[in-house]
Amino acid sequence: MAAMKLLLSQARRQGLIKPFSSPFQQIPRLFSSSSSSDSNPSPESNESRKKPVTIEPVSYAAKPKDPKSEPTNVESTENLQSPESASWTREEIRYVKDSPSINPVSYAQRVAPLPEDRVAGENEGERTPEEMERERKRIELENRARRRFLRANAVEEDTSSLPLPTLLKPELKHGKKPIFDLMEAIREIKGNAKAKFDETLEAHVRLGIEKGRSELIVRGTLALPHSVKKDVKVAFFAEGADAEDAKAAGADVVGGLELIEEILKSGKIDFDRCLATPKMMPRVYKISRILNNHGLMPNPKQGSVTKDVTKAVKDAKAGHTKFRMDKTSILHVPLGKMSFPEEALRENVGAFMNALLLAKPAGLKKTSKYAGYVNAFHLCSTMGKGYPVSIQSLSRAADLHTKLQLK
């Protein structure tokens, strides 16, 4: 087999055997339209094919000009009729770079007509003056009839019961409320108190004390100049001469060890205020849990532990008000009723501000009266909205209360 391949390769090199050709190469010739004689062309036909073939140009008749497409401007017609352009053929003009152009047509400016320039009857939709006058009379008659109908069905109102007009305070933008003077705030609160019961005047004070600082807590008692008279039952823990002075001053329950043992056994309390002398405080601590449950434990800071027995009993009978700062550094104190006159409410607010200054902690760094101590002061009724009060008017009310006390 190898020898046969070698012989075939040598014969192919010497040209004795034609190279192998695929039978599919003859398929296009079988389907061609040319005769079989064309498959073996003669040398004469090959020479005739090599000669160049000349194609004669075909000329077409010129397209007639459209009179509508002729230029209207004088300059464009002159350019088209110039001697140079007249000598150009149609095909030459196609390849000319700077061919003659036609300038745009300009139209006259249009101006809107004025009312006086309009022709009568031009706008048929417009009304005449007579029609407009009739329309005006019709509208006026309808308005008169509507007024008569409203008057006939209107209910007569009693103007004597209407309230007098009041001035409204302007509301500032961005949610900032105006700050009122003390008397103005009291008038506004009394005017807006519309509940069916006698509302209470409440004071809400935001203090400038940090939360969680127990050494700076603010507490105290307050004797209001004008308060609701109530029967207050006062108990006084004292012995000897102090006990006799307490009974003479009007104390309802007076006792020493016997009273302490009785409360410790029964666990009941039949009094509203509790006072004690400094000597009796070590013994009173036995019932401190019972007294603290009712908020009656004597405290020197609140003035319930004192040596001045007579004054303490009289102040307790007068109805003292306690105040104490909560966890959010805010005080909530009742200062009277809405049935009180304005001057009485102002004196109560002054007394509270004086007591608030006396209860100011010594650990505050600020040296001024109210700077860093009282940040905001609001007054309101039980069911009404709050009114911010200026610190200046509160300071004047406190000074006036101090002057009245000295007299």
Side-chain angles (χ1 to χ4, degrees):
M1 189 69 183
M4 189 66 178
K5 287 183 179 180
L6 181 60
L7 289 174
L8 288 174
S9 62
Q10 288 178 0
R12 195 178 292 114
R13 287 176 186 174
Q14 294 177 4
L16 298 176
I17 300 174
K18 292 183 180 180
F20 174 78
S21 61
S22 175
F24 296 102
Q25 293 180 356
Q26 303 297 327
I27 291 175
R29 294 183 181 181
L30 294 174
F31 290 97
S32 64
S33 60
S34 61
S35 61
S36 61
S37 62
D38 294 339
S39 60
N40 297 321
S42 61
E44 294 179 359
S45 62
N46 292 334
E47 291 178 0
S48 61
R49 288 179 182 176
K50 293 180 180 178
K51 293 179 181 180
V53 181
T54 59
I55 300 173
E56 296 180 0
V58 180
S59 62
Y60 298 93
K63 189 178 180 181
K65 296 182 179 180
D66 189 3
K68 294 181 180 180
S69 63
E70 291 182 358
T72 55
N73 291 347
V74 179
E75 295 180 358
S76 61
T77 54
E78 289 179 357
N79 293 334
L80 291 174
Q81 295 177 1
S82 62
E84 297 178 359
S85 61
S87 60
W88 293 341
T89 63
R90 233 177 129 75
E91 292 187 3
E92 289 174 345
I93 291 176
R94 289 173 60 187
Y95 299 103
V96 173
K97 183 179 181 181
D98 300 328
S99 61
S101 60
I102 299 174
N103 293 335
V105 181
S106 61
Y107 298 93
Q109 295 182 355
R110 299 184 65 181
V111 182
L114 297 174
E116 54 267 17
D117 297 339
R118 294 180 182 176
V119 182
E122 183 178 358
N123 298 330
E124 296 179 357
E126 293 186 355
R127 297 182 179 181
T128 60
E130 292 79 7
E131 293 178 353
M132 296 177 67
E133 183 66 21
R134 286 197 296 272
E135 183 70 16
R136 185 187 64 80
K137 290 180 180 180
R138 184 184 65 79
I139 294 172
E140 188 174 352
L141 289 173
E142 289 181 358
N143 292 338
R144 287 179 183 174
R146 190 180 295 107
R147 291 194 205 101
R148 288 195 211 100
F149 177 77
L150 294 175
R151 288 197 206 98
N153 297 334
V155 180
E156 294 183 0
E157 296 181 357
D158 186 10
T159 57
S160 61
S161 61
L162 294 175
L164 296 175
T166 57
L167 296 176
L168 298 177
K169 290 286 182 180
E171 295 184 1
L172 301 180
K173 295 181 179 179
H174 308 294
K176 294 182 179 179
K177 296 182 179 179
I179 299 177
F180 293 85
D181 188 75
L182 177 58
M183 291 303 295
E184 290 181 0
I186 292 173
R187 292 192 195 100
E188 290 287 338
I189 293 169
K190 286 178 68 68
N192 294 327
K194 299 177 182 179
K196 295 181 180 180
F197 60 94
D198 191 7
E199 299 182 53
T200 303
L201 179 67
E202 300 175 1
H204 304 275
V205 188
R206 182 161 54 86
L207 302 176
I209 298 175
E210 297 179 4
K211 299 177 184 178
R213 297 192 63 178
S214 58
E215 74 276 7
L216 298 179
I217 193 169
V218 177
R219 68 176 74 183
T221 56
L222 169 65
L224 294 175
H226 307 276
S227 61
V228 180
K229 293 182 179 180
K230 293 181 180 180
D231 294 333
V232 181
K233 195 171 184 180
V234 180
F236 207 109
F237 292 96
E239 290 180 344
D242 294 333
E244 295 177 359
D245 293 341
K247 290 180 181 179
D252 300 296
V253 180
V254 180
L257 291 175
E258 300 85 2
L259 181 60
I260 294 172
E261 292 295 333
E262 182 182 351
I263 294 172
L264 188 61
K265 289 179 181 180
S266 63
K268 296 181 180 180
I269 293 177
D270 298 332
F271 45 86
D272 302 319
R273 295 295 304 275
C274 181
L275 304 174
T277 57
K279 294 180 181 179
M280 288 295 298
M281 280 305 296
R283 299 177 182 179
V284 174
Y285 285 134
K286 292 182 180 181
I287 56 174
S288 60
R289 181 178 297 178
I290 301 172
L291 295 177
N292 280 326
N293 291 338
H294 295 80
L296 297 176
M297 184 65 186
N299 193 332
K301 295 182 179 180
Q302 296 181 0
S304 53
V305 179
T306 178
K307 294 180 180 180
D308 194 349
V309 178
T310 304
K311 183 182 178 183
V313 173
K314 288 182 179 180
D315 291 343
K317 281 286 186 179
H320 275 204
T321 302
K322 295 180 181 180
F323 59 89
R324 179 189 173 94
M325 183 183 75
D326 61 7
K327 295 180 181 180
T328 59
S329 302
I330 297 177
L331 286 170
H332 310 278
V333 185
L335 297 178
K337 296 290 183 179
M338 289 291 103
S339 57
F340 292 179
E342 297 177 1
E343 290 295 330
L345 293 175
R346 183 180 62 81
E347 291 179 6
N348 286 354
V349 174
F352 169 65
M353 290 305 298
N354 187 31
L356 187 62
L357 288 175
L358 294 176
K360 182 178 180 180
L364 284 177
K365 296 181 180 179
K366 302 291 183 180
T367 57
S368 177
K369 256 186 178 182
Y370 300 99
Y373 181 41
V374 179
N375 288 343
F377 190 99
H378 289 74
L379 288 176
C380 68
S381 60
T382 304
M383 306 295 292
K385 65 177 184 179
Y387 292 86
V389 184
S390 63
I391 301 297
Q392 292 80 4
S393 60
L394 295 171
S395 179
R396 290 194 295 270
D399 295 342
L400 181 61
H401 175 77
T402 305
K403 292 179 181 178
L404 293 175
Q405 291 293 325
L406 292 175
K407 290 180 180 180

